[in-house]
Amino acid sequence: MNPMLRQVAAGLRVLLVLTVLTGILYPLAVWGVSRLPGLHANAEAVDTTLVAVDREGDQWFHTRPSAATLPASGGSNKGERNADYDTVVAERRATIAHREGVPEAQVPQDAVTASASGLDPHISTAYALLQAPRVARENGLTEDRVRELITEHTDRRAAGLLGEPGVNVTALNRALKAAP
């Protein structure tokens, strides 16, 4: 057999094997694992709090801005030295300061810098507390009750050491909707 044909045949066999492994068997295995008890609810992302859901209106807590364009997730390549991004951040800071009735210097960084994927449901405790007076007023709740809800939905540091505490906005807004 011609050496060139042998290489083409070998390449086609490898392509076929990898297609079956990575295109059929691996997805089926992942799907099968997602059906295990305890994993199914999060795998289907129905009623999950693992994904950010930003709601319209002043009665809700707001998530971080997203660099993603819907419906996909993904980031932008704009960094802190990009003049366009600096302008966007300054506009966001002014908008949030106006909405919350505070000086621009009090707006936390995560309120104005985009989440790369747009999927992270967490904001800083500082950003949640900044929104508390507005949310309390719009929902007819006391500010103390809203702060209690924030505390209840704040995730602590992993193992008491890793990361920063964060407030799950999706879970917090669901609790706010159910609050008396």
Side-chain angles (χ1 to χ4, degrees), residues 132-180:
R134 169 184 49 82
V135 171
R137 181 178 62 251
E138 293 293 324
N139 286 287
L141 298 171
T142 67
E143 201 170 319
D144 287 340
R145 176 64 183 130
V146 172
R147 289 176 187 272
E148 286 173 16
L149 289 171
I150 291 170
T151 301
E152 291 170 14
H153 293 87
T154 300
D155 297 332
R156 306 293 178 229
R157 294 174 185 254
L161 301 169
L162 304 174
E164 293 295 321
V167 179
N168 187 315
V169 175
T170 303
L172 179 58
N173 280 334
R174 286 184 186 168
L176 184 64
K177 185 177 182 180

Side-chain angles (χ1 to χ4, degrees), residues 23-44:
I24 298 171
L25 296 178
Y26 178 75
L28 280 174
V30 170
W31 179 82
V33 168
S34 76
R35 296 298 179 233
L36 293 174
L39 297 178
H40 182 70
N42 285 336
E44 293 300 320

